[in-house]
Amino acid sequence: MGRGSTTGPRTAPMRSHSALYIDAGYLLAAAATRVTGSSLRRGVRVEYAALLAALAAHVESQSGLPLLRSHWYDAARDGKPTWEQEQIALLPKVKLRLGRIGVEGEQKGVDLRIGLDMVGHARNGAVDVIYLVSGDDDLTEAVEEAQAQGVQVIVLAVPGTDGAALAVSRHLAAAADELAIVPAELLDAAVTAALTERLLRGEHPPAPSASPPPSPSPSPSPSPSPSPSIVANRTRPLPPLSAPQDAGGATTTAPTEDIAADAATSADPCESNGAISAVAARTFSAWAATATAEQLEDLRRNRPTIPRDLDRALLVDLSGALGTATLSDDLRIALRARLWDVIQTDR
């Protein structure tokens, strides 16, 4: 280069990339619903390295672009990673991003981190195609802002047993450039029902009891709607975009028993007895699958107290089965009473 030349070294053009943003709460709860019928995460075993590698390969194949990295969003007590989360953080091209777990077991700050990262990476030109594994309505605005920066956003949904999308908000599906489905074989190879100490001892998960639930107290009052992260754990595939939606913008769903959604607010929970019985049996089976003999004994000894994770999953699963974000007090009482009937049969 001659003296006085103003020409500097040329910068190589930035290569186009895709990126993967995974809401672990949605992915694992929906995958658990697919495998066990309950959203309880402890009911499944996950091969995280295989799952993340397969998702990354799928994204690269579908986008035709190299993957910049995968982002794994989850929650932890005080934001401190668990042993499993630390192992995920050590995987190649995987970034662990943690929110917190609230006093009621709910996730805090996870959606905000996902949205900020998506928009920030879009504005910086770091990626050209975003694949979002989530169903949360709260991410709709972040999707639209990323698109406004010239980035394509594709929502990847977990399939139900019928192959259709599980638990995706209609608003989110409408905002995305495409609603795609995670290949079922990819999930089934990495997420399986938990092998249990009880099964290894020759014991079996509890079966549903044939007795009806006790009569609930009268005068039900509406309960608060679950958060979007709870509503995400539904049990029926995404309906057409013209279908009704609940107040939170989440997809309404129906159970395999085909019980109407309006049963959820009925003053007579006996109309929902089939759903209550099925949910109590499935959710307890998923919980008991990883419980030790001591934990099962503690559960019976501490009646009527129900472990927080089990109680939360019961309410989420019944909301999904009845296709509503609101459960009356009568339904909650009947569901918890039915759980104790199921527990009594597990002897």
Side-chain angles (χ1 to χ4, degrees):
M1 192 185 312
R3 184 176 177 181
S5 171
T6 58
T7 304
R10 291 186 177 180
T11 302
M14 183 177 293
R15 189 179 183 188
S16 296
H17 285 88
S18 59
L20 178 60
Y21 302 77
I22 302 168
D23 177 353
Y26 165 78
L27 173 61
L28 299 182
T33 299
R34 171 183 169 82
V35 173
T36 69
S38 171
S39 62
L40 194 68
R41 283 172 58 165
R42 65 181 279 174
V44 291
R45 300 284 188 189
V46 183
E47 296 292 338
Y48 290 102
L51 176 62
L52 281 157
L55 284 170
H58 177 69
V59 165
E60 288 191 330
S61 171
Q62 295 300 302
S63 68
L65 298 172
L67 183 73
L68 180 64
R69 68 178 59 89
S70 299
H71 304 79
W72 182 270
Y73 300 87
D74 207 350
R77 295 287 178 190
D78 301 317
K80 297 178 180 178
T82 63
W83 181 87
E84 278 187 341
Q85 289 166 341
E86 288 178 342
Q87 303 312 301
I88 290 171
L90 293 174
L91 294 173
K93 297 176 70 174
V94 174
K95 178 69 174 179
L96 176 68
R97 299 282 278 158
L98 292 179
R100 296 173 290 107
I101 296 178
V103 293
E104 297 299 325
E106 73 279 15
Q107 291 187 352
K108 297 283 189 178
V110 174
D111 294 340
L112 179 61
R113 288 181 179 273
I114 296 174
L116 288 174
D117 284 351
M118 287 174 55
V119 173
H121 297 158
R123 286 178 176 168
N124 293 335
V127 296
D128 293 294
V129 182
I130 285 174
Y131 283 79
L132 173 63
V133 181
S134 183
D136 202 326
D137 181 73
D138 282 358
L139 292 171
T140 300
E141 286 72 23
V143 167
E144 292 173 340
E145 181 58 30
Q147 290 169 325
Q149 304 301 319
V151 172
Q152 191 176 40
V153 181
I154 298 169
V155 169
L156 271 178
V158 171
T161 53
D162 62 354
L166 269 177
V168 177
S169 156
R170 291 176 61 249
H171 287 162
L172 182 65
D177 291 290
E178 181 184 350
L179 175 63
I181 304 295
V182 177
E185 61 274 13
L186 183 160
L187 287 171
D188 295 343
V191 183
T192 55
L195 297 176
T196 71
E197 294 181 15
R198 301 182 66 218
L199 290 176
L200 292 175
R201 293 196 301 268
E203 302 175 14
H204 299 283
S209 170
S211 59
S215 299
S217 304
S219 305
S221 57
S223 303
S225 297
S227 67
S229 60
I230 295 178
V231 175
N233 300 322
R234 298 302 191 199
T235 55
R236 197 179 82 173
L238 182 76
L241 294 179
S242 59
Q245 63 188 62
D246 61 31
T251 302
T252 55
T253 55
T256 54
E257 295 88 351
D258 199 28
I259 295 175
D262 60 3
T265 54
S266 169
D268 181 11
C270 291
E271 295 178 17
S272 304
N273 182 53
I276 289 172
S277 296
V279 166
R282 284 198 305 263
T283 307
F284 177 64
S285 291
W287 184 89
T290 56
T292 64
E294 291 75 18
Q295 288 172 326
L296 288 165
E297 186 57 34
D298 285 343
L299 174 65
R300 297 186 180 97
R301 185 187 308 116
N302 294 328
R303 181 175 183 174
T305 301
I306 300 172
R308 183 172 292 164
D309 62 335
L310 174 56
D311 190 59
R312 185 177 179 83
L314 283 169
L315 300 177
V316 169
D317 292 347
L318 186 59
S319 291
L322 295 178
T324 180
T326 302
L327 295 177
S328 70
D329 285 348
D330 276 358
L331 283 173
R332 291 170 181 246
I333 291 169
L335 176 61
R336 288 161 175 152
R338 189 75 182 101
L339 172 68
W340 290 112
D341 289 341
V342 171
I343 292 171
Q344 289 303 113
T345 68
D346 180 40
R347 292 290 187 177

